[in-house]
């Protein structure tokens, strides 16, 4: 059983900052990619940022230069530092972990989400 628990969401004014955290626990073994997704009201869930076990990161264009993803492999955690927030960043943010089960085989696990609301 693998569990992901997100924290750090809340209400912030435009231009402000929030830091999201996600802790992974359970029968983990090795985690390959960790990621943050978000789903705004009435929209599909979208990938925001990813970080590999080696620390390679990737971001969608709309958050580049404003968001930073970072993981701690020893603690099995991944954070998302969000700066210069905009109202369009308002969404439920979800953490995902791709757990390596065997060579080339991963299982995806999701958190329940944390709400981020950015007021104008």
């Amino acid at each position: 059983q693998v569990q992901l628990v997100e924290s750090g969401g809340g209400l912030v004014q435009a231009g402000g900052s929030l830091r999201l955290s996600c802790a992974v626990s359970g029968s983990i073994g090795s985690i390959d990619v960790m990621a943050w997704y978000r789903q705004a009201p009435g929209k599909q869930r979208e990938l925001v940022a990813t970080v590999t076990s080696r620390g390679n990161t990737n971001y969608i264009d709309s958050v580049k230069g404003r968001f930073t993803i970072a993981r701690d492999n020893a603690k099995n955690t991944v954070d998302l530092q969000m700066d210069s927030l905009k109202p369009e960043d308002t969404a439920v943010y979800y953490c995902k972990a791709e757990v390596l089960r065997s060579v080339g085989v991963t299982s995806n696990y999701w958190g329940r989400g944390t709400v981020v609301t950015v007021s104008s």
Side-chain angles (χ1 to χ4, degrees), residues 47-113:
L47 176 63
V48 175
T50 62
V51 57
T52 69
S53 57
R54 295 185 177 185
N56 296 318
T57 60
N58 199 13
Y59 303 88
I60 56 172
D61 288 343
S62 61
V63 307
K64 284 180 180 178
R66 300 189 298 121
F67 290 11
T68 303
I69 188 170
R71 65 189 281 176
D72 185 325
N73 290 331
K75 297 180 179 179
N76 290 322
T77 60
V78 61
D79 291 347
L80 185 68
Q81 176 66 39
M82 305 185 296
D83 299 317
S84 302
L85 282 161
K86 303 175 181 180
E88 50 263 44
D89 294 318
T90 295
V92 180
Y93 283 72
Y94 298 90
C95 173
K96 187 182 87 169
E98 297 179 11
V99 177
L100 190 64
R101 293 306 184 191
S102 62
V103 177
V105 179
T106 57
S107 295
N108 293 331
Y109 298 91
W110 292 85
R112 293 187 175 184

Side-chain angles (χ1 to χ4, degrees), residues 7-43:
S7 61
L11 173 64
V12 65
Q13 287 188 333
S17 298
L18 282 175
R19 187 176 186 88
L20 306 182
S21 295
C22 174
V24 186
S25 61
S27 178
I28 301 170
S30 176
I31 302 176
D32 189 5
V33 178
M34 301 186 81
W36 285 96
Y37 286 70
R38 67 186 180 186
Q39 187 167 16
K43 295 187 177 181

